[in-house]
Amino acid sequence: MKKTLLSLVTICCFGAAPAQESPIPFQRHEAVITSVSSNGCYAVGSTQGVGYFINAKTGKLSVFEETGVIYDIRAVADCGIAAGSYAPNNSAQMPCYVTEGDGFVTLPTPEGISGTCYGVPEDGSFIAGNVSISGTDNNGDHFNYYQPVIWYRNESGGYDMYEELPFDKIGFDNRLTQGAWLLGVSGDGLTVYGRIIEAGGFVYLPVMWKRTSTQTRDWTYKELCSDYCFNKDEIAPEWPQYKPKEPDATEYYTAEELEAFNKALDAYNDSVEKASWTIPAEERGPYPTYNPNEHEADFFDTSTADGVERHNRYAEDYNKFLTDGQAYNDSIVLYNERFDKYVIDEKRFHILDMSFSNNGKYMVTTTVYETVMINPETEEVTILEGADGLFPTGVLDDGTVFIGQKAAIPPLDRVPYVHKNGAVMDFGDWVREHSEKAYNELMENFPDGHFGVIYSNNPEGLTFGGFNQKNEYGNLGWIMNLSAYDDLTTGITENKIADDVEVSFNSGEGTIDIAGKDKADVRIYSVNGVCVYNAAGVSGHVSVASLARGTYVVEVKSGNSLLRKKVMIM
């Protein structure tokens, strides 16, 4: 599709900036920012149908705005590909990816299918999202659920028709769920995470999909924390599978009987219309007392044996409907009684926001009353003390959580916080721990400390951004890159495992050799921060024959240790 770009400006705290290798420390934009790429090179957001895409390397802001069109951008990757949707002329949402150069590009979907995209890994190798599926069940009732899907990138650089991700469509109560929503993708592209919602919209569960490598499309689905929010000593509620249907008397009538019924019904409707309170009292007729719909049995011609047989057959079917209907209503009562005992209300998840750490150790979301951290491996749930009433906007690899302040009505003038080491602290104080210069720059721009809502996808929290809204209702978005400040202090030293790991380029084999660690997680970044290689369980070496000549940063992780080293590929 062709993008619509009504406002394309360059706004930065230093003014217009040329493309450069060194990051811009701090920049402001008239934009909503709800996602910043891990490397800090891109930021996106949207509000009220307007989409924002920022190239943080140059300070260029692209605004997507068009009358009657709703633009929505959810997430952006290190490679500059964002995930979102657009709805032309207020019609159904169309899944899209977004880039600075191409704008909104629709992804392939079958005709009549709508949806949106929520996540993309650092290398842009796939786009993850949801599509809406609807139909009619065995009882004749309409249903609709959200199906999680993935669009994989092909060799030409585009994306193929989506593939469905597996999930349990039938919930814990033997009822079709509302579907599974994807809420994000891990940077390495090995984990997709989100929520599933039961049919009544009352119970949410965190879910995730994992795969063993970027080379496979086989995903394993897992629902988390059912033991936390369900009392499994009680009997699980079960929704009745059969819903009685009232027989339609007109299907038993002869043509003559049907004609008589319709004639009586027309007369009744005409009388109802003439008895309307909108008609002056002196002209208003009496309200009819005989409703043919309530006396359908009266229209059978019981003077004939055939009429008697059809009347009796209808009466028998109607009486069975009454009996089955009572049993159905009783089963609904039993379902509700068991539901109240089975679902632990104070531990019930209500997942509107979710963050996932880069190392896969932490998932942060909300219950109806608390902000909680989940260990995806053990499914252990920990309440973040002091964070009730707040919502998660990012979680770092050390378990530090960025949390936001809710605001029910505009202006959305909010104060962000950080949950660290079991306690809540001001976001400004957290920044100050890392860089006094960065803190001073923030305070120069926000003297009251109201920085807004802060989002980060960086494992160490080195890059982040957010937005605030003042009394003028204008949006003030901003991006900060802590690595650009020369007084930065981080919790991980650059050579933490340098004593037992060696990294070097082997020009003869076209590989980067890694000695001293087996089954390590290895990433290779270009000098501008784009991840060009990502693999887990690496031993010995990795092939880099496909990479262009130049300088790269090789990151080796093993357990809690980390090494980053610049390597020249020649």
Side-chain angles (χ1 to χ4, degrees), residues 189-503:
L190 298 180
T191 304
V192 178
Y193 55 91
R195 67 188 182 191
I196 191 168
I197 306 178
E198 56 89 22
F202 191 73
V203 176
Y204 297 59
L205 282 176
V207 298
M208 60 191 303
W209 294 260
K210 294 185 70 69
R211 58 177 178 170
T212 56
S213 77
T214 57
Q215 306 306 311
T216 182
R217 296 186 179 184
D218 294 328
W219 295 85
T220 301
Y221 170 73
K222 182 180 181 182
E223 292 181 4
L224 303 176
C225 306
S226 62
D227 288 342
Y228 178 77
C229 60
F230 294 152
N231 183 357
K232 295 189 175 179
D233 290 333
E234 296 289 343
I235 300 174
E238 185 169 346
W239 190 260
Q241 298 304 295
Y242 169 68
K243 182 179 180 180
K245 184 179 179 181
E246 181 178 356
D248 183 357
T250 62
E251 295 179 358
Y252 298 74
Y253 291 159
T254 62
E256 293 78 8
E257 292 166 344
L258 180 60
E259 182 179 0
F261 172 81
N262 287 333
K263 183 178 180 180
L265 187 61
D266 290 340
Y268 169 78
N269 291 333
D270 184 60
S271 297
V272 170
E273 184 177 344
K274 291 178 179 178
S276 172
W277 62 270
T278 60
I279 297 176
E282 61 274 13
E283 301 176 14
R284 191 183 309 155
Y287 198 88
T289 59
Y290 183 84
N291 183 351
N293 286 318
E294 298 173 354
H295 301 274
E296 293 172 316
D298 293 353
F299 294 87
F300 286 97
D301 181 5
T302 55
S303 64
T304 66
D306 174 69
V308 171
E309 187 277 330
R310 285 183 289 102
H311 174 275
N312 292 343
R313 181 156 45 89
Y314 167 72
E316 181 180 347
D317 290 346
Y318 187 81
N319 288 332
K320 183 178 186 303
F321 162 72
L322 293 178
T323 301
D324 290 348
Q326 184 59 54
Y328 177 81
N329 291 335
D330 291 344
S331 67
I332 296 296
V333 171
L334 179 62
Y335 170 88
N336 290 329
E337 290 175 351
R338 289 180 173 176
F339 187 97
D340 291 341
K341 294 178 180 179
Y342 191 75
V343 177
I344 306 173
D345 184 67
E346 64 270 20
K347 294 184 176 181
R348 179 168 52 89
F349 287 96
H350 187 65
I351 302 170
L352 301 180
D353 304 279
M354 178 178 285
S355 297
F356 192 79
S357 65
N358 195 273
N359 58 10
K361 292 183 178 181
Y362 307 102
M363 175 186 284
V364 186
T365 187
T366 51
T367 66
V368 288
Y369 302 111
E370 309 283 356
T371 301
V372 296
M373 177 178 287
I374 300 169
N375 181 324
E377 186 66 30
T378 65
E379 301 185 41
E380 178 183 2
V381 179
T382 303
I383 296 174
L384 300 187
E385 297 296 337
D388 50 302
L390 305 175
F391 64 97
T393 57
V395 57
L396 313 185
D397 278 0
D398 65 357
T400 297
V401 182
F402 289 3
I403 44 182
Q405 185 182 48
K406 296 179 180 178
I409 58 175
L412 307 179
D413 183 21
R414 295 178 279 190
V415 179
Y417 298 92
V418 172
H419 191 278
K420 179 181 178 183
N421 298 328
V424 173
M425 62 186 300
D426 288 339
F427 181 80
D429 292 338
W430 181 87
V431 173
R432 196 170 195 173
E433 287 182 353
H434 293 76
S435 169
E436 185 74 23
K437 292 182 178 180
Y439 171 78
N440 291 337
E441 188 147 29
L442 267 183
M443 294 307 297
E444 288 176 7
N445 286 273
F446 301 94
D448 58 3
H450 293 197
F451 311 125
V453 183
I454 314 302
Y455 299 87
S456 179
N457 290 302
N458 186 273
E460 298 171 48
L462 297 179
T463 58
F464 48 83
F467 77 99
N468 205 7
Q469 191 179 71
K470 298 298 184 179
N471 290 329
E472 299 80 11
Y473 299 99
N475 296 307
L476 175 56
W478 57 275
I479 307 166
M480 177 167 273
N481 193 324
L482 293 180
S483 62
Y485 295 89
D486 57 18
D487 64 340
L488 172 67
T489 59
T490 62
I492 303 176
T493 59
E494 195 171 43
N495 296 305
K496 191 166 184 178
I497 59 172
D499 54 339
D500 59 351
V501 175
E502 293 183 2
V503 174

